[in-house]
Structure formats: structure tokens, C-alpha cells
Amino acid sequence: MWDSNPQIPPGFGTTGGPPAPADAESGRGLQLVRACADSWGAYRLGDAPTAHHGKLLWAECGQG
């Protein structure tokens, strides 16, 4: 998945980030992906003028 915002969201970067408050209606999706994935990561995109700008988030889940 990629989008045009280069900021890596909390919970998907190298640190876990703060958990979503108990009464929050959003903010847990990427933390759930990270918890279920065997490996995951994020990259900022776009140094060249013709490149896409933003970020790419990826996750690998095993078949177990």
C-alpha cells in the first residue's frame, strides 16, 4: 500500500508508537497488521522529480 503522505504512521515505524486510547474509533489497523505479520516495514518514497512521493507500507504474513 502506498499514499502521497511521506510521514510513517505511529505503530508502523521502527518504534511501536503509543497505543490508541480505549475509546478511540480508529487508529488500531496498522498495529493489528504489525501484530499479525511475520515481517513488516515502511519506506519513504520519492527523491527524483518524476517519482511517486509519499510512503510505502508492506507486511508479510505466513500461511500457518
Side-chain angles (χ1 to χ4, degrees):
M1 166 175 83
W2 75 271
D3 65 28
S4 60
N5 183 340
Q7 183 177 357
I8 305 298
F12 217 75
T14 56
T15 62
D23 60 348
E25 295 184 11
S26 64
R28 294 182 184 86
L30 290 178
Q31 291 175 346
L32 290 171
V33 169
R34 187 176 146 174
C36 295
D38 295 323
S39 59
W40 48 267
Y43 299 98
R44 286 196 171 96
L45 301 173
D47 289 331
T50 59
H52 291 291
H53 294 277
K55 64 182 168 289
L56 171 76
L57 305 179
W58 62 270
E60 294 180 359
C61 299
Q63 296 182 357

